[in-house]
Amino acid sequence: KTLLREAENLADEKIARIEELKELKTLLQEADNGKQIISIDLIKSCLKDKIVVDLARSSFEELVAGKKVTVKSIEAAMILWSVTQEEEDFKRVKKMVVAGKTVLNERYLVEAHGKTFYLSPLHTAVYLQSPQLVDLFMTSDGVDVGLKFENPEHTEDVGNVLDLAFSMEIRNESSSVVQSILENDKDCRLVTNNELVAPLLHYAKYRNKMEVWELLFGYEAARPGLSPLGILAFAMSHNDLDLFIKILPRGKPRLNTIVPKGCPCC
């Protein structure tokens, strides 16, 4: 009886695996229709099988050669690289970005962490927690860095790639993706309104890392409230002695000046 139960369990697992592979094949081969959902968890599960990895790679090469690269195939290739971390797979993503330059700002339904969002490839790079992919898309010609992600079930769950990175990284230990976005946002395209300054500061306070504050100081010209003096005012308004002590050496030379206009606390 025990052997029979084990055999039945193996059969059930094999059937489930076959269904997963069919779903993945459909995902890679069907034309984009805006309705089918890319499941990051499903693709990662299928890619545990080397045969599937090889099939996916050959499918991506065929799409590049045939000039049929779609937004969902780019995102699937990104997921493949996030699993394998192999250089050839990252190079393939690069080739697909070039071949699919006309679809880089299209959004597709992507499911991950129990939520479904309309994401562009840049947004998906954030979801995959990959600073390398974020760098790739933020430095690629034609990518709309300010494009909004959207949750079709919760209309208030919307924002740009920096907002998405905040929500993702607060649940994780690494701050590398937020840092990558800020470093690539040279002309302050993402830090464009007073409302975004406060989330930036709360994020940096939550992380408690000086390198994050140093990145924010680089935005002082566009956002005076992100100066060391503005951060000291922020620390005082939140009764944060540790933060005040940490920033004080940077703000000391300017302690007798007026708090800049645009202070996040004013």
Side-chain angles (χ1 to χ4, degrees):
K1 289 182 179 180
T2 301
L3 289 173
L4 181 59
R5 279 197 298 269
E6 289 180 356
E8 289 174 345
N9 290 336
L10 287 173
D12 290 341
E13 288 177 8
K14 192 169 184 64
I15 290 171
R17 191 71 174 164
I18 290 171
E19 291 303 315
E20 281 186 347
L21 295 179
K22 285 180 179 178
E23 192 172 340
L24 178 62
K25 184 178 179 181
T26 300
L27 175 66
L28 295 176
Q29 292 182 349
E30 280 190 357
D32 290 343
N33 55 27
K35 295 179 181 179
Q36 190 178 16
I37 298 174
I38 294 176
S39 171
I40 291 179
D41 293 336
L42 168 66
I43 294 178
K44 283 187 173 181
S45 174
C46 291
L47 292 173
K48 292 176 182 177
D49 190 323
K50 186 180 184 303
I51 294 175
V52 177
V53 170
D54 292 340
L55 285 172
R57 286 169 173 162
S58 63
S59 295
F60 297 145
E61 293 291 352
E62 288 174 11
L63 290 171
V64 171
K67 298 181 179 179
K68 295 181 179 180
V69 173
T70 63
V71 63
K72 72 178 181 183
S73 63
I74 292 174
E75 293 182 343
M78 292 162 61
I79 298 168
L80 171 62
W81 175 77
S82 75
V83 171
T84 67
Q85 293 290 299
E86 292 186 15
E87 185 178 356
E88 68 166 297
D89 293 319
F90 193 77
K91 289 180 178 178
R92 188 175 295 104
V93 174
K94 285 183 174 180
K95 287 196 296 184
M96 295 179 74
V97 168
V98 173
K101 60 184 179 181
T102 60
V103 301
L104 295 181
N105 295 319
E106 291 183 12
R107 302 180 309 166
Y108 210 78
L109 277 171
V110 177
E111 180 185 43
H113 306 295
K115 290 186 176 182
T116 302
F117 292 97
Y118 282 108
L119 303 179
S120 70
L122 173 57
H123 297 138
T124 302
V126 173
Y127 245 96
L128 294 173
Q129 293 288 283
S130 171
Q132 297 96 321
L133 288 172
V134 169
D135 286 343
L136 171 62
F137 285 100
M138 290 195 72
T139 56
S140 295
D141 292 337
V143 173
D144 181 0
V145 175
L147 189 67
K148 303 289 186 182
F149 71 89
E150 181 184 350
N151 184 333
E153 297 176 356
H154 302 283
T155 54
E156 72 281 358
D157 205 355
V158 63
N160 64 30
V161 67
L162 193 54
D163 299 313
L164 182 62
F166 290 147
S167 64
M168 291 296 298
E169 298 235 19
I170 280 177
R171 298 197 298 266
N172 295 278
E173 287 303 315
S174 172
S175 60
S176 56
V177 169
V178 166
Q179 291 182 27
S180 177
I181 293 171
L182 291 174
E183 288 169 350
N184 281 292
D185 189 22
K186 301 297 184 185
D187 53 359
C188 214
R189 290 169 291 178
L190 296 175
V191 187
T192 54
N193 56 63
N194 290 329
E195 289 73 29
L196 191 52
V197 171
L200 275 168
L201 298 183
H202 286 292
Y203 168 79
K205 180 176 180 294
Y206 177 87
R207 281 293 168 211
N208 195 30
K209 291 184 178 180
M210 196 61 200
E211 60 264 31
V212 179
W213 291 110
E214 293 290 349
L215 280 170
L216 297 187
F217 294 154
Y219 285 81
E220 180 179 356
R223 283 282 167 261
L226 293 179
S227 69
L229 198 59
I231 305 305
L232 287 174
F234 174 81
M236 287 188 289
S237 71
H238 287 80
N239 296 315
D240 192 331
L241 181 60
D242 289 340
L243 176 59
F244 187 88
I245 292 172
K246 177 179 286 190
I247 304 299
L248 185 58
R250 287 293 305 270
K252 257 186 178 179
R254 299 158 66 174
L255 282 180
N256 292 322
T257 61
I258 298 173
V259 175
K261 184 180 179 182
C263 165
C265 313
C266 303

